Amino acid sequence: MRDRLCATDRAASLIMFTGLADDDRVLAPQRLAFPDMVIPAWIEPHPRESIGSYAGRLAKQLNPGPRCVIGGVSFGGIIALEVAAHLGVRTCALVSSVRSPSEMPGWYRLARGPALVLGPRSLGRLASLAGSWSSSTLPPLHRQHLRRISEPSGRFRCWASWAVLRWRPSPGVRGVRVVQIHGDHDRTLPVRRMTPDVMIAGGGHLLTLTHPQNVNEFLSNALAA
């Protein structure tokens, strides 16, 4: 994984997590607008670790300011929500992400059953088989995701995919104020099950890159609030 800031000695006003790709370039336009923004690096997950437990360990490495906003893109938004609950941060900003499992698409419900039985490694092998069997029927984006999960270098991605399927929000999440921006053309996490605070017409999953001004304004409003 990329070597980024794992902890900060100074209090941060904006902490943003990347998505599964673990590439901070997805937040490049936001780093220009918010030069003090902290982008933490992922830590290694424990075998079969829940998202709540993982977020708790990650939270110990962060130093949020008294008015900090914690946010994230896609998978990073789910982690941000759990980290915010652990740290007692009042506002979480979701970019192309979900507030709860109820906002996940239909494939999530189909895949959750096997994930409850399988561990991350078995899920990786299953993803490899699924990618081979359905290569002609799945959209290219989903085939690419299955391939990355099954690759030896995709251990973190495999754990994250498994953990998301088992995710149940921690009780503390209910005390976090959530603001959400989403594109109405997002094919990875379709918006039809959501009621985002800001809807971007024509926006896909990579809003931070395709609609940076909208995202930056959204984050500025979250910080101001």
Side-chain angles (χ1 to χ4, degrees):
M1 285 178 277
R2 294 173 66 88
D3 183 18
R4 292 198 303 271
L5 187 61
C6 284
T8 174
D9 293 329
R10 60 175 175 76
S13 59
L14 178 60
I15 298 173
M16 290 291 292
F17 292 94
T18 64
L20 275 180
D22 189 39
D23 191 339
D24 54 8
R25 288 176 295 182
V26 75
L27 290 167
Q30 288 65 54
R31 190 186 288 279
L32 291 175
F34 307 96
D36 293 330
M37 178 178 69
V38 173
I39 305 177
W42 298 124
I43 58 177
E44 284 295 320
H46 294 158
R48 302 181 75 95
E49 184 174 25
S50 69
I51 282 182
S53 172
Y54 180 86
R57 292 195 297 117
L58 188 55
K60 294 177 181 179
Q61 301 192 17
L62 303 175
N63 182 19
R67 301 180 62 184
C68 179
V69 170
I70 293 181
V73 180
S74 193
F75 170 75
I78 295 174
I79 295 296
L81 188 56
E82 292 285 344
V83 168
H86 279 284
L87 292 175
V89 172
R90 289 298 181 185
T91 301
C92 178
L94 303 181
V95 182
S96 302
S97 189
V98 295
R99 299 170 187 256
S100 72
S102 65
E103 296 186 343
M104 297 292 282
W107 62 259
Y108 172 87
R109 290 160 181 78
L110 294 174
R112 187 173 182 273
L116 293 175
V117 179
L118 302 174
R121 292 184 179 180
S122 297
L123 184 64
R125 290 192 290 269
L126 182 62
S128 179
L129 290 173
S132 300
W133 291 340
S134 56
S135 59
S136 61
T137 58
L138 282 178
L141 184 64
H142 292 176
R143 291 202 303 270
Q144 184 182 53
H145 182 63
L146 288 173
R147 186 183 71 252
R148 287 176 175 174
I149 291 176
S150 62
E151 290 173 349
S153 60
R155 185 171 63 174
F156 177 80
R157 181 186 290 269
C158 187
W159 166 80
S161 300
W162 171 83
V164 164
L165 291 172
R166 295 175 58 90
W167 177 47
R168 287 294 178 264
S170 303
V173 166
R174 290 193 293 267
V176 179
R177 172 180 174 261
V178 179
V179 289
Q180 184 182 30
I181 184 171
H182 216 88
D184 65 357
H185 279 47
D186 191 323
R187 295 184 178 180
T188 301
L189 295 173
V191 76
R192 59 178 172 271
R193 298 180 185 271
M194 309 176 193
T195 54
D197 300 275
V198 180
M199 179 87 80
I200 302 300
H205 197 58
L206 296 178
L207 287 181
T208 54
L209 298 177
T210 61
H211 295 75
Q213 291 183 335
N214 299 92
V215 173
N216 292 347
E217 181 180 1
F218 166 77
L219 293 175
S220 293
N221 290 337
L223 287 165

